[in-house]
Amino acid sequence: MNGELIPTTVVLFGPPGSGKGTQAKLLTEKLSLPHVSTGDMLREHIALGDALGIEVREVIKAGNLVPDHLVIRLVEDRLNRPDCKAGVLLDGFPRTIDQARMLLGMAEGRGLRLLVIHLKVDYDVITARLTGRRICPQCGTLYNIRLKPPIVPGRCNIEGSRLIIREDDKESVIRQRLVGYDAQTMPVLEFFAEHVKFFEVDGSDRKPEDLSNEIVNWIQTTITDEGSASGEGL
Ligand code: ADP
């Protein structure tokens, strides 16, 4: 797929632990789109200990959403960088109706196509995934102590570094994140259903590679159909 020619914003949408991060890693290469994860950006600020990091640390640790004005400013700044001009792969944004409005306005203003992928996953599967999740602090590779263990327990297969547990992956915090998802983020789906094309896939029991191929196929077909409907090629 020739990603450079496609000015498309792809949104990976789904509950915590639905596999957005894993899919984003695969799709960013297949689609040649930069990966923008609000969760990763916020965690970088926390690690730096700057003003934003200090402001959001406790909110994230408690499993709540960071206020819209902070996240929207962060995303606007990121999307204004040159590498995002021809499109972007968004992971974890938007999560509220106001964030979705901002994104829709920006996509329309820039003439970008907006496509949404909804990863649906059973909440039992999510809890099992998140309570066992471990991350390499150096390369970001994700493991799961039960479902996808590293070769040497507690160590990254690639870097050899000691794997870490995210502060918000404790069981009580996971529950809070799911409550927030139901209350604040699910309504965004209805908003999207009215305004943009979206694709729903069940990610509960699928190989990540197969799932990413299915997503790429849908994106490719949608873009081709739009191109033929408007008489334009890619
Ligand atoms: P997950 O999808 O597994 O919850 P993320 O890394 O996307 O993980 O997000 C981690 C945390 O960062 C969220 O629980 C929330 O506190 C904060 N966050 C990330 N993206 C947003 C957003 N778009 N709006 C508000 N808060 C966000």
Side-chain angles (χ1 to χ4, degrees):
M1 182 166 193
N2 197 341
E4 285 89 351
L5 295 177
I6 304 162
T8 303
T9 295
V10 177
V11 173
L12 277 174
F13 192 94
S18 56
K20 297 189 297 292
T22 303
Q23 283 306 312
K25 271 183 181 265
L26 294 166
L27 292 170
T28 192
E29 286 186 17
K30 293 184 185 190
L31 301 168
S32 316
L33 289 173
H35 172 202
V36 172
S37 154
T38 42
D40 286 350
M41 286 196 289
L42 291 165
R43 280 185 291 276
E44 275 164 30
H45 283 277
I46 293 174
L48 285 171
D50 62 13
L52 177 61
I54 291 167
E55 198 168 350
V56 303
R57 179 168 182 180
E58 292 306 315
V59 178
I60 293 182
K61 205 171 152 187
N64 295 319
L65 288 188
V66 169
D68 279 340
H69 70 279
L70 296 177
V71 182
I72 287 176
R73 199 171 61 212
L74 194 68
V75 171
E76 271 172 349
D77 287 349
R78 180 67 188 87
L79 298 186
N80 280 331
R81 294 217 212 127
D83 64 325
C84 294
K85 288 278 181 272
V88 67
L89 178 68
L90 283 172
D91 155 10
F93 184 93
R95 271 173 144 106
T96 65
I97 299 273
D98 279 349
Q99 293 178 18
R101 284 213 181 91
M102 168 262 164
L103 183 65
L104 197 64
M106 189 218 69
E108 279 170 6
R110 293 186 185 180
L112 292 176
R113 208 185 270 113
L114 190 57
L115 301 178
V116 177
I117 315 295
H118 177 204
L119 296 174
K120 286 200 318 183
V121 177
D122 226 64
Y123 283 11
D124 291 345
V125 175
I126 286 174
T127 309
R129 281 184 186 173
L130 294 184
T131 51
R133 181 158 76 175
R134 302 290 183 270
I135 301 171
C136 171
Q138 269 174 273
C139 66
T141 301
L142 296 169
Y143 299 88
N144 185 294
I145 49 169
R146 292 176 295 272
L147 309 168
K148 190 192 160 205
I151 299 164
V152 178
R155 296 274 173 187
C156 176
N157 293 352
I158 302 159
E159 303 289 343
S161 40
R162 191 178 293 280
L163 301 176
I164 56 166
I165 305 177
R166 254 171 60 173
E167 279 192 305
D168 55 351
D169 276 348
K170 290 193 204 121
E171 207 156 336
S172 60
V173 183
I174 293 169
R175 266 197 301 277
Q176 179 58 25
R177 282 157 69 199
L178 291 173
V179 167
Y181 179 80
D182 284 341
Q184 290 160 282
T185 309
M186 277 297 267
V188 175
L189 272 185
E190 284 167 38
F191 175 83
F192 275 146
E194 285 172 29
H195 293 95
V196 297
K197 293 202 171 118
F198 80 89
F199 182 52
E200 213 160 60
V201 269
D202 194 327
S204 300
D205 191 22
R206 299 283 307 278
K207 284 201 189 121
E209 185 65 31
D210 294 347
L211 198 55
S212 71
N213 287 337
E214 196 181 327
I215 293 170
V216 169
N217 279 341
W218 176 76
I219 292 174
Q220 211 159 16
T221 310
T222 307
I223 289 171
T224 310
D225 288 351
E226 274 182 17
S228 21
S230 66
E232 292 164 13
L234 288 181

